[in-house]
Amino acid sequence: MISDGMAEVLRSLRLGEGGDPAQACARALDAAGVALSLLVGADRTAEPLWCHPELSARFEELQFTLGEGPGPEAVRTGAPVLEPDLDRVRPERWPVLLPAARDMGVQGVCGFPLGIGAIRVGVLTVLCDGDRRISEQQYADATALTAALTGAFLNGTGHGNGDGNGHANGTAPRPDRIPDWPTGLNRPVVHQATGMISVQLGVPIQEALLRLRAHAYGSERTLGEVAADVVARRLRFGDELDDDMSGPYSPDTGKG
């Protein structure tokens, strides 16, 4: 059973009521933060839709730049990734993200994929509070939220397959539409740069994104900053001034 707080959040989403949905979700989940991203483009880049508070936005950007963490792992596996205490995670699992997350003050993170079967449409990243645990109620609420959002995104038109009373399978209200849907992509420069690198190097989109991440890691910059240099033709991959392909995100390692 979902909590009364999450039921109210889903009802508000279904009715398209105003307010900050990320803040409402964080409050209902009793979480330190929430970020919702949608996968778009041929490279399946995570586009942030909701983030609250600023720490969630910064952590989502970190995951996006490095390509590692609970969010990306949840997308790859199609299963929730629950790590409410990052101090207990093996260092080799997320070698770059873990120390950076600690520096940010992030203590625990859980990633919940949005999708059905092999279809992935997005990911919900939940920052855990100081208790460094996730309760059964929080898990139930998070999975109900992701199921409702998945249905809304996949339906496209915004109308779910509920029971006619605002409930999906008779268990929880389902959003008919998503408020504050973005009119454009938040990271168009990354998509454009990835395509340019793919052409420059003659490699698939996925490898081009890995190379972009490798350069960002090696230069200690965000993915967006490096992508902007590529699009502005200040950086061309394949030249002598190309990226340093060493480090944990080299395409040769198979990570990222």
Side-chain angles (χ1 to χ4, degrees), residues 62-64 66-70 72 76 93-98 249 256:
L62 178 67
Q63 291 193 112
F64 176 65
L66 300 179
E68 69 178 26
R76 286 194 294 270
R93 184 177 182 186
W94 301 319
V96 184
L97 180 131
L98 288 175
Y249 299 97

Side-chain angles (χ1 to χ4, degrees), residues 23-50:
Q23 185 176 14
C25 290
R27 183 169 55 248
L29 290 170
D30 194 21
V34 167
L36 174 66
S37 293
L38 185 67
L39 303 180
V40 300
D43 54 357
R44 309 297 288 155
T45 300
E47 283 286 344
L49 301 184
W50 304 339

Side-chain angles (χ1 to χ4, degrees), residues 160-176:
N161 298 320
D163 60 8
N165 297 313
H167 290 68
N169 300 323
T171 57
R174 182 178 197 160
D176 286 336

Side-chain angles (χ1 to χ4, degrees), residues 1 23 27 29 62-63 67 72 94 97 122 143 157 175 178 190 205 233 237 256:
M1 292 289 294
Q23 185 176 14
R27 183 169 55 248
L29 290 170
L62 178 67
Q63 291 193 112
W94 301 319
L97 180 131
T143 53
T157 58
I178 304 299
V190 174
I205 287 291
R233 293 175 170 77
F237 281 63

Side-chain angles (χ1 to χ4, degrees), residues 127-148:
L127 304 188
C128 301
D129 60 18
D131 289 342
R132 296 176 182 253
R133 64 182 182 85
I134 181 169
S135 68
E136 292 184 5
Q137 185 64 68
Q138 287 173 310
Y139 183 85
D141 284 350
T143 53
L145 175 61
T146 54

Side-chain angles (χ1 to χ4, degrees), residues 114-129:
L114 275 64
I116 298 176
I119 301 173
R120 310 274 192 276
V121 296
V123 61
L124 179 74
T125 301
V126 178
L127 304 188
C128 301
D129 60 18

